[in-house]
Amino acid sequence: MPALKLTMPLIDDMKTQAADQVYWDQAFRSLGLKVTMAGHRVFIAMYRMIDGQRVRMYTMVPTAS
């Protein structure tokens, strides 16, 4: 999974692949962008539960305003 500096021009230019692709941010290691095969872009955040063992993923879907 590549680590990039996620900027709006870079996010807008990302092309769809044959499978879902996740790009992680260089500055915020737990923040990523998922580009789906359908061309949708959603932000994801990885976090660890209080017990320190379980890793969870939170998906943030941008809404049009």
Side-chain angles (χ1 to χ4, degrees):
M1 294 180 220
L4 305 168
K5 183 175 181 181
L6 295 177
T7 61
M8 283 309 296
L10 179 68
I11 292 170
D12 291 337
D13 290 339
M14 287 184 176
K15 306 291 185 226
T16 58
Q17 304 291 328
D20 292 353
Q21 187 71 28
V22 176
Y23 300 94
W24 296 102
D25 190 68
Q26 288 176 340
F28 302 101
R29 295 241 182 242
S30 61
L31 179 67
L33 177 77
K34 180 178 179 181
V35 181
T36 65
M37 293 186 308
H40 299 285
R41 290 162 176 79
V42 294
F43 287 98
I44 56 174
M46 298 286 284
Y47 63 96
R48 195 172 292 275
M49 298 298 289
I50 294 173
D51 61 8
Q53 299 298 317
R54 294 179 286 173
V55 176
R56 299 285 189 209
M57 187 182 328
Y58 183 75
T59 304
M60 297 167 271
V61 180
T63 58
S65 54

